[in-house]
Every structure is written in structure tokens, then in C-alpha cells.
Amino acid sequence: MSTEPNFARFRQFVVGMNELVEVAGGNESRMLDEGGRLLRDLVSHDDWLPEACAQPHPQFYQQYLLYCDPRERFSVVSFVWGPGQKTPVHDHTVWGLVGVMRGAESCRRFALAAPGRPMQVGPREELPPGAVDRVSPTVGDIHEVSNAFADRVSISIHVYGANIGAVKRHVFDPDTGAAKPFVSGYSSPAVPNFWDRSADVRKSLAG
């Protein structure tokens, strides 16, 4: 990785997502398809994420807000997974895209069965760098995600069709299907500044 993060790459991604949501914000299929292509291009380059948003925690996976659309039509979050860390079984209630940038993730989907019965469990899928997964109530919204590695950090970039840290969601008991509401929030009160281009402008003045 470069010592100087390529913030322009992330700015270009945000511009693309803003343009897409303007024309297709009400069309989930287009948001998943075209947004997925934008995200795949972003995570194929590991040269832009600020170091502060790539820091693991010894006990808990971290969720760093990178950007939230002013009208909360979408948000972008870096998930940082320490070795062996995983989520509970949970849903999202909005569309979402998950792009793996560093390491690998393991994902297993779940579905509700009859009340009080164990949830239906799908096969485990490993997502390597560059892979993009999708979730939503229409394509499958309940899953469990974990770091595929027990000895290294993995990082994924998530895009959601809302300010995901403020969305009322659910965690599930896979043995009974019982749902418990939760709101994830974010792991840091700070949001990185990708838009300070003053150093580049100063260089142009000097030239």
C-alpha cells in the first residue's frame, strides 16, 4: 500500500453512487447491480482506506462510517474483522452490498422457519478479495458473517440503502428464530475527511 492514501479513488466512488441513487434510488435491482460494479472496482484497489478506519479491536469487529449521503439514501462503512471475529445472526431491512478488500470473509445465510423452530441454515460461502455479496429483504436478508482467518485481520467495505448505523434491525437465535431488536451504531464518532484537497491545490499554485 502507498504511504499516501489515494483518497481520490473513494471520492470517485461516492460520486458514482450519488449519480446512481439520483436516477435509480427507487430501483433496488439497479442499485444492487450497478452499485455492485462500482463497489467491486473500489475494493479491487487496497490503496485508499485511511489507517484510522482499518484498526481492529481485540474483542469486537469494528464498523467505521466512511460516508453517509446527506439524505441518508446510502451509507458506506468499513468493517474491520480481528482474527476469528464474527457477527451474530442478523438482518438489515434495507438493501446492502458487501465487498471484500483485504483478507477474506465467511458468510452463512439463514431463513426463518415456523415460530419456535430452528432457522433454516444455508451453506457457508467464503468471499475472497474482490468478491461482492448482496443482501436485502427481497434477495435474502439474514446472515452470519465472520473473518475467514484465525490469524489475521480482514477488511470489507459495505454499502447500505440507508444510514445503517441508525436502522432498527434484529439479531436472531438460530435455535428458535426468536428476534431481538438492535441498532448497530458505529465504532467511532469521527468520520474521515476524504475531501481535503488543499495540498494538491497548493502544489498546483507552486507549479
Side-chain angles (χ1 to χ4, degrees):
M1 291 180 61
S2 170
T3 56
E4 291 289 333
N6 184 2
F7 289 168
R9 196 181 303 283
F10 184 75
R11 290 197 297 268
Q12 292 164 2
F13 171 76
V14 170
V15 168
M17 285 299 303
N18 270 284
E19 291 174 345
L20 177 59
V21 79
E22 286 290 344
V23 298
N27 185 329
E28 181 181 286
S29 180
R30 281 191 65 184
M31 293 303 300
L32 292 174
D33 289 343
E34 298 177 35
R37 286 193 287 272
L38 291 171
L39 181 59
R40 188 173 294 108
D41 181 66
L42 178 67
V43 298
S44 68
H45 303 278
D46 189 358
D47 63 356
W48 57 270
L49 184 67
E51 195 60 32
C53 299
Q55 296 302 309
H57 184 280
Q59 290 179 279
F60 311 109
Y61 65 92
Q62 299 293 281
Q63 302 175 202
Y64 296 104
L65 178 65
L66 303 179
Y67 178 81
C68 185
D69 168 66
R71 291 160 60 186
E72 301 190 358
R73 295 171 297 178
F74 74 95
S75 56
V76 189
V77 184
S78 69
F79 274 61
V80 183
W81 311 87
Q85 291 176 351
K86 68 176 184 178
T87 69
V89 179
H90 66 282
D91 67 6
H92 309 83
T93 76
V94 298
W95 64 261
L97 293 160
V98 178
V100 178
M101 188 171 73
R102 194 181 305 173
E105 285 185 5
S106 179
C107 177
R108 176 169 285 177
R109 295 186 182 274
F110 289 75
L112 291 171
R117 302 291 297 171
M119 299 180 74
Q120 300 172 10
V121 185
R124 188 172 295 280
E125 178 182 4
E126 186 163 307
L127 304 174
V132 174
D133 197 11
R134 54 180 65 187
V135 294
S136 87
T138 60
V139 302
D141 196 40
I142 304 175
H143 68 183
E144 175 190 75
V145 181
S146 63
N147 187 344
F149 293 106
D151 60 353
R152 71 187 80 168
V153 170
S154 292
I155 296 178
S156 53
I157 307 301
H158 298 211
V159 185
Y160 296 102
N163 176 7
I164 193 64
V167 174
K168 297 177 183 178
R169 302 192 277 151
H170 309 88
V171 294
F172 297 89
D173 180 343
D175 293 329
T176 65
K180 180 180 178 181
F182 85 106
V183 177
S184 69
Y186 297 109
S187 299
S188 171
V191 179
N193 182 359
F194 290 96
W195 285 267
D196 183 358
R197 299 187 298 106
S198 57
D200 293 335
V201 176
R202 291 189 187 103
K203 288 179 185 177
S204 69
L205 293 175

